Amino acid sequence: MPPFDNIIAVLVAGFLLSATPGPSMLYVLSRSVGQSRSAGLASAFGLALGGMVLAVATAMGLAQVFAKLPQIVEFLKYVGSGYLVWLGGNMILGAHAGAQEDLSVRTVGRKSFRGIIWQGIVVEVLNPKTVLFFALFLPPFVDAGLGQHADIQTQLLVLGVLVPLTAIPSDIIIAYLGGTLAQNLNNHRKFRECFAWAGGLALIAIAVNLHTGVLFGGG
């Protein structure tokens, strides 16, 4: 199992990223407003399933790489930390501009719940940005000191599955509140900007903490 501190860090980082308006959030919002609340929940479920499939596949692939090239673990830890800093920096730099953009609902064709779930899975699994995210996001939180291949694989699997799970709370809220939430966020742009700043700084702090252990035990 991953160290408890790393689990908490992944949960916090994943929640901050999922709670920031993006394509997945807008997709769930569009389904909820354009079709029904249940359709919004189905889309959130599909995205979560797709994320879990991708997380498991990525984790198993990384575990094989780490087993053959154990020296790459520390290298990827620094690369992944840099990626977290990059994500946090982008959130901060785009905070003002992002807050000025209206959260708009796209037109979506009506689908069965099964079709919506499958669409969410396919969209998530085939998204190259999501693949890159898992490949760079997971390694910094792996404790290579645990040594054994099976231990590292377990860490990657647990951490990988946690990431899509962190998106479920915000997606459920979006599906239930739909247009009301979008209107409220559009009317409170300063809050959106402050949230983006806080999220960006938190991601950078998590990345720094991975190497310093200032906030809590480093991985």
Side-chain angles (χ1 to χ4, degrees):
M1 285 290 290
F4 181 72
D5 291 333
N6 287 5
I7 290 176
I8 296 299
V10 167
L11 288 173
V12 172
F15 174 76
L16 290 171
L17 290 169
S18 64
T20 304
S24 295
M25 178 182 288
L26 294 178
Y27 173 66
V28 175
L29 178 63
S30 295
R31 276 290 168 202
S32 178
V33 176
Q35 186 166 342
S36 68
R37 180 181 295 170
S38 298
L41 290 173
S43 65
F45 182 63
L47 290 171
L49 284 179
M52 289 181 188
V53 170
L54 192 55
V56 170
T58 305
M60 294 181 70
L62 284 174
Q64 293 297 325
V65 173
F66 291 170
K68 295 178 181 179
L69 300 169
Q71 66 273 17
I72 204 173
V73 177
E74 194 65 23
F75 170 73
L76 286 180
K77 183 171 184 177
Y78 283 95
V79 173
S81 300
Y83 181 63
L84 281 175
V85 172
W86 181 78
L87 287 174
N90 275 353
M91 286 178 68
I92 292 171
L93 293 175
H96 180 72
Q100 303 312 308
E101 295 180 0
D102 285 336
L103 293 181
S104 57
V105 178
R106 297 172 295 175
T107 301
V108 292
R110 297 184 68 85
K111 286 180 175 288
S112 66
F113 290 164
R114 179 181 296 181
I116 292 172
I117 292 173
W118 274 111
Q119 184 180 46
I121 293 174
V122 172
V123 166
E124 196 73 356
V125 169
L126 297 183
N127 186 344
K129 290 184 178 180
T130 308
V131 176
L132 179 65
F133 170 78
F134 277 108
L136 296 180
F137 181 78
L138 296 180
F141 299 100
V142 172
D143 187 350
L146 295 181
Q148 298 299 316
H149 168 70
D151 291 329
I152 291 178
Q153 186 176 62
T154 299
Q155 290 184 68
L156 287 167
L157 287 172
V158 171
L159 295 174
V161 170
L162 283 178
V163 176
L165 289 179
T166 60
I168 292 178
S170 59
D171 284 345
I172 290 177
I173 292 173
I174 293 163
Y176 267 95
L177 298 182
T180 302
L181 177 63
Q183 188 60 47
N184 285 333
L185 289 176
N186 287 337
N187 290 337
H188 295 83
R189 300 181 189 277
K190 194 63 180 177
F191 169 79
R192 288 170 57 188
E193 183 175 351
C194 291
F195 183 83
W197 265 90
L201 290 173
L203 290 179
I204 293 172
I206 289 172
V208 173
N209 183 76
L210 285 167
H211 302 283
T212 64
V214 172
L215 301 178
F216 41 80

